[in-house]
Amino acid sequence: MRKTEIEEYPESDRAPGCPHPRETYDLIGHGEAETRFLRAQASGRLHHAWLITGAPGVGKATLAYRMIRHILGGQSLLTTSMNVPESDPVAQRIESLGHGNFMLLRRPYDFKLKKIRTEIPVDDVREMGKFFQGTAAEDKSWRVCLIDTADDLNRNSENAILKLLEEPPAKALIILLSSAPGRLLPTIRSRCMHLPLRAVPEAEIAPWLRDRVDAPDAIIDAAVKLSRGGPGKAIALAQNADTVLKPLTGFLSSLDRGASKMDHILANSLATQNAGASRQLFWEALQDVLQAQSVFSVTGEWHGAFKPLPVSKPPETWQKLWDKVCEMQRVEAAINMDKKTVMSDTLSAIRAA
């Protein structure tokens, strides 16, 4: 995909509201994983396939691009890290998808339907085979393919990937990202070096986020609490505070009152065509607050964002509301229901419970 297309069309590998990992050069919380890759490379026996797993926003793609810049010749600031600077020529070519020895496999944009496809088609995987079978664009250099994400492969695509994993070309590196590795073929998992990324502690995310986002402490604190240990998600929440955190705070603080116009305003705002990122973040934030409230109603200890809700309900009620919100989100995505109606009904159910 050309640079102009990158700028003009949406990218399936960009997390909602987050900076693109191709353009992200710092990594937080995964030094051990980075060291493990460096040691494997230094040993001269670098495995040909790496499966990086972890929750969305935890840093899988950010780590992968650091690995890619490093192995394709980017010059790190330190010999003990993969901290290749943005100014590095190799980094610039990778960022623009203009490096001949790098291939990105992701859900493509359908120009006819004008939307991102729901799966990575098998024909694209076959192009990956041609990429590795052809002559390297740069002599004596590795060829690298990033699959972001392997969760988007259909069964035919997985089988095509498996053939490449079974008979890897020389100096070929395949990096697969997955948030749900249990759904992948066991034979794919068994042929990859597994690199699991754990949730980053809130104590590490908070100062890192403050250095990067100009926002009040209340917004920073809420974003960190709702990040689920994902630095990328924390940034997305802080940057979308006006469409996610502030409206959510207003809704939650009004639960001790009757139906409010704000519910309809909120449902309308999250149903617009450009609100996809905010909507996803709102769904997840609402789930997390309800879960925290359920725990609070049993233990009296509050570990969620914002403050305990201004209404008292049995733990079973809070758990049922959490289940309902999760189900409504799944149904909306699966059946493509009217977004305004789904959100309005969900907010009304919480207020009426």
Side-chain angles (χ1 to χ4, degrees):
M1 184 172 288
R2 299 182 300 274
K3 180 67 174 178
T4 54
E5 293 176 350
I6 295 172
E7 295 169 345
E8 185 175 353
Y9 299 102
E11 299 178 275
S12 62
D13 54 340
R14 183 186 293 272
C18 294
H20 198 288
R22 258 195 340 269
E23 304 160 358
T24 304
Y25 287 82
D26 58 336
L27 182 70
I28 175 176
H30 306 304
E32 183 178 340
E34 184 167 299
T35 298
R36 183 179 168 191
F37 181 82
L38 282 169
R39 287 175 177 170
Q41 184 183 8
S43 72
R45 299 186 300 273
L46 184 66
H47 196 70
H48 66 277
W50 291 72
L51 175 61
I52 306 176
T53 62
V58 77
K60 299 186 298 296
T62 299
L63 173 60
Y65 276 103
R66 287 170 69 88
M67 294 162 62
I68 293 164
R69 295 181 198 113
H70 179 75
I71 202 163
L72 289 182
Q75 298 300 307
S76 175
L77 299 176
L78 298 171
T79 57
T80 56
S81 80
M82 296 186 288
N83 192 25
V84 177
E86 183 177 359
S87 59
D88 186 277
V90 170
Q92 286 294 301
R93 291 165 62 195
I94 292 170
E95 184 175 320
S96 66
L97 296 182
H99 197 295
N101 283 21
F102 170 57
M103 178 179 182
L104 173 62
L105 195 62
R106 57 184 174 179
R107 287 185 293 126
Y109 183 83
D110 191 314
F111 293 94
K112 292 183 179 179
L113 299 178
K114 298 188 183 303
K115 66 179 182 179
I116 296 172
R117 297 184 61 169
T118 58
E119 297 178 325
I120 297 174
V122 67
D123 288 345
D124 287 11
V125 178
R126 293 188 180 119
E127 288 299 317
M128 173 184 167
K130 295 177 183 177
F131 167 73
F132 282 122
Q133 291 167 5
T135 303
E138 298 183 21
D139 292 340
K140 299 181 180 180
S141 178
W142 287 79
R143 279 175 288 179
V144 185
C145 179
L146 171 63
I147 304 175
D148 189 1
T149 73
D151 302 332
D152 297 327
L153 295 167
N154 58 38
R155 190 58 75 204
N156 289 334
S157 298
E158 283 192 88
N159 286 326
I161 292 287
L162 184 57
K163 292 180 180 179
L164 287 170
L165 296 178
E166 290 172 340
E167 300 177 3
K171 301 201 77 171
L173 178 64
I174 302 173
I175 303 175
L176 303 92
L177 309 184
S178 175
S179 297
R183 298 177 185 174
L184 299 177
L185 288 173
T187 43
I188 286 182
R189 299 198 305 269
S190 66
R191 285 168 172 76
C192 295
M193 189 67 68
H194 188 197
L195 202 58
L197 302 188
R198 310 301 181 191
V200 180
E202 292 179 3
E204 294 184 36
I205 297 178
W208 177 86
L209 184 60
R210 285 191 175 91
D211 286 343
R212 287 158 180 78
V213 177
D214 183 16
D217 287 344
I219 295 297
I220 295 293
D221 292 343
V224 172
K225 285 287 186 182
L226 295 168
S227 69
R228 300 183 181 180
K233 186 174 181 181
I235 283 185
L237 285 162
Q239 291 180 338
N240 289 273
D242 289 341
T243 55
V244 179
L245 298 181
K246 292 178 181 178
L248 179 59
T249 303
F251 169 74
L252 296 173
S253 63
S254 71
L255 287 180
D256 58 344
R257 302 189 289 275
S260 172
K261 287 185 178 180
M262 77 168 60
D263 297 3
H264 300 289
I265 295 173
L266 179 54
N268 281 333
S269 67
L270 291 173
T272 62
Q273 187 174 3
N274 298 325
S278 296
R279 188 177 187 82
Q280 176 72 18
L281 292 168
F282 186 90
W283 275 121
E284 294 176 355
L286 182 58
Q287 293 164 17
D288 290 355
V289 170
L290 292 174
Q291 187 67 29
Q293 185 68 26
S294 178
V295 173
F296 175 75
S297 64
V298 175
T299 66
E301 298 179 0
W302 180 252
H303 300 291
F306 313 117
K307 297 178 181 179
L309 305 187
V311 289
S312 178
K313 302 179 189 294
E316 299 80 16
T317 300
W318 292 118
Q319 188 61 41
K320 288 179 180 178
L321 287 173
W322 180 84
D323 290 338
K324 181 177 181 61
V325 172
C326 294
E327 179 62 20
M328 292 296 279
Q329 183 186 15
R330 285 193 295 268
V331 169
E332 176 190 80
I335 308 178
N336 197 26
M337 295 176 64
D338 180 72
K339 291 179 171 54
K340 176 183 174 182
T341 300
V342 172
M343 184 61 69
S344 182
D345 289 350
T346 300
L347 299 178
S348 296
I350 295 172
R351 193 176 290 280

